Amino acid sequence: MITLEEFHQDFLQSVLTDAESRGLMKSQAFFENVCEELISTGDLTNNYTFAEYIKTGMEVYGYDFDEERQLLSILVHQFFQEDQIETLTKSIITTKFNRLKTFLKKAVQGLYKNLEETSEAYTMAYNIYRYFVNGQINKIRLIVLTDGKMTRSIEDIPSEEIEGIKTEFRIVDIEYIYKIYLSEYSDNGFKVDV
């Protein structure tokens, strides 16, 4: 069975190959690779969108809206792209979640009005605003994707109410991605391609 370290190496290599073959930034290839894994587990829908927006105090790389569950997911990543598995510290996590929260609050207040209409960030901010104004959001998830490993000191982060909506905080680290891989590997172990 493949170890976490071996999986990390293989995963990084597949991200770099994907970035090269599709002409993407490495961080975008990482984001999309992890999101595809999260679709397989039902964590995201097929409609997730990559949309980068980085400004002072705000950082976001994409979002997903599950209409059926009325669930808005807003995503950010910490892509270390190092040979060794890096540690995701509490201070990195706190910063990432604070930036996501700031973006979310600004988005529901109409941030899109200050953005270039042709940008992906405009569409993302506008859609989040529209979902909010129309009362379509029942729950929000702020998600940090990383090829690092969470420190054990990071316990479950308690959910909060943001703009009156229950908001959960999730960290998808290399161990979580590895577990998805292992479950797929064991489920698909005896499939034969015809």
Side-chain angles (χ1 to χ4, degrees), residues 32-143:
E32 291 183 4
N33 271 270
V34 177
C35 287
E36 291 301 318
E37 293 296 333
L38 294 177
I39 289 170
S40 73
T41 61
D43 284 311
L44 294 179
T45 71
N46 288 321
N47 300 325
Y48 81 86
T49 305
F50 176 83
E52 189 175 306
Y53 183 73
I54 303 169
K55 287 278 181 281
T56 307
M58 291 185 271
E59 180 182 10
V60 63
Y61 291 99
Y63 71 109
D64 178 59
F65 185 64
D66 184 334
E67 284 183 46
E68 211 172 283
R69 295 190 287 172
Q70 295 184 301
L71 172 63
L72 172 67
S73 298
I74 305 176
L75 305 128
V76 70
H77 64 67
Q78 176 61 54
F79 184 39
F80 293 107
Q81 52 184 314
E82 296 292 337
D83 289 338
Q84 301 301 312
I85 298 174
E86 295 289 318
T87 301
L88 192 67
T89 61
K90 197 166 181 115
S91 67
I92 294 172
I93 288 297
T94 303
T95 301
K96 293 287 182 182
F97 281 133
N98 284 340
R99 289 176 177 169
L100 281 175
K101 286 194 279 191
T102 303
F103 170 79
L104 173 62
K105 289 172 184 171
K106 298 244 189 242
V108 300
Q109 292 164 3
L111 173 68
Y112 74 92
K113 296 170 190 163
N114 304 324
L115 302 176
E116 180 58 51
E117 281 188 42
T118 55
S119 72
E120 294 164 328
Y122 172 90
T123 307
M124 173 173 59
Y126 175 74
N127 284 339
I128 292 170
Y129 174 79
R130 196 169 45 91
Y131 301 143
F132 182 75
V133 168
N134 294 336
Q136 293 173 275
I137 305 169
N138 194 20
K139 189 162 91 177
I140 298 167
R141 267 191 324 203
L142 302 181
I143 305 175

Side-chain angles (χ1 to χ4, degrees), residues 36-37 40-41 179-189:
E36 291 301 318
E37 293 296 333
S40 73
T41 61
K179 285 177 188 158
I180 295 171
Y181 166 79
L182 290 179
S183 71
E184 287 172 355
Y185 180 79
S186 59
D187 291 347
N188 298 334

